[in-house]
Amino acid sequence: MQNFTRRTLVQAAVVAATAFSAVAAMAQAPIVIKFSHVVAPDTPKGKGAQRFKELAEQRSGGRVKVELYPNSQLYKDKEELEALQLGSVQMLAPSLAKFGPLGVKDFEVFDLPFLFKDSAAFRGITEGPLGVDLFKKLESKGITGLAYWDNGFHIMSANKPLHTVADFKGMKMRIQSSKVLDAQMRALGALPQVMAFSELYQALQSGVVDGTEGVPSNFYTQKVFEVQKHMTLSNHGHLAYAVIVNKPFWDGLPADIRTTLTGAIKDATTYANAIAATENEIALDKIKASGKTTIYTPTAAELAEWKKALMPVHKEMESRVGKGTIEAAYKATGFVPVK
Ligand code: LMR
């Protein structure tokens, strides 16, 4: 009888200890944030993501673990947005030109050719009411927008020089999924082709497309300069990202953790925005140094011709992007449309 009681007590103690350690383990298990993106770690976005990881892990005292998946390692452009909505990943930083397939077409306002004369004009949108309104439109898609990251201006590349508008005639040009970019290439006489970023190098190498637009940091890290003989510093478009999270995940975080992560994003944003221009200059220097690609600066007359060909895209895209959104963007950037 005594033996039986002792055995029962021991068993009960073992059960209690096991349960306790399971609870303790659960309490200690970090909150994991899977952060997927399509570019190389050694780019403004890659470095911004790395900075966020360091700040989030350090400031949360290890309660948060950020796993970075660069280079489309987990998902390609379109798939990563679906994965975010499904909760398979918690965080992304897609280009603003990739929100159309989600049904939020207003983001394509950022792609209007020659809208931004400099980065300050871009911040006019992202740091003002329009930037906030655009993020609100993501909420019904189960997505929360946390920050905008700048990555500078688009240049053009091909295997032949692209100086005048006529040079684009019949050229197959890879674009991101934005309909504004599609209209832009058509206005130049080119044939736009939407393609995932991860397929770019191979498509250029094999001749599936003849050229593309992009930023030097991506052209360098994706080795675009190895398969494109000519680049034109047109700065006709702009590349930027929205750091976004799965909304149910974000809303479900303990309040103190959400505050810590908000602070980490804020500081990572300051960092990513501060390095973008320099990173792109360094990348352009490396492309020049490779000797594989000529870098052409268009003349004022050539740029005027590009602008003339591209301005009708603004009007044409009112039905897609929304007249109100375009007007708000003009106001925020100080852009004056040429009548
Ligand atoms: C592209 O697809 O060209 C860019 O959006 C890639 C990126 O995220 O910088």
Side-chain angles (χ1 to χ4, degrees), residues 189-200:
L191 305 170
Q193 206 148 320
V194 175
M195 187 176 285
F197 184 66
S198 55
E199 285 156 20
L200 177 63

Side-chain angles (χ1 to χ4, degrees), residues 38-39 45 77 93-95 98 151 154 174 176 195-197 200 213-215 218 239 241:
V38 299
V39 297
K45 176 158 64 181
D77 298 317
S95 148
K98 292 176 183 170
N151 196 11
H154 270 163
R174 179 269 171 177
Q176 305 175 81
M195 187 176 285
F197 184 66
L200 177 63
E213 61 179 1
V215 292
N218 281 340
L239 182 64
Y241 311 113

Side-chain angles (χ1 to χ4, degrees), residues 1 26-28 49 56 78 102 104 119 121 124 128 140 174 197 221 224 257 265 278 293-294 299:
M1 185 69 185
M26 261 165 62
Q28 278 161 16
K78 199 163 166 293
L102 266 184
V104 199
S119 291
S140 64
R174 179 269 171 177
F197 184 66
T221 50
V224 166
I257 291 286
I265 276 291
T278 317
T293 311
T294 68
T299 65

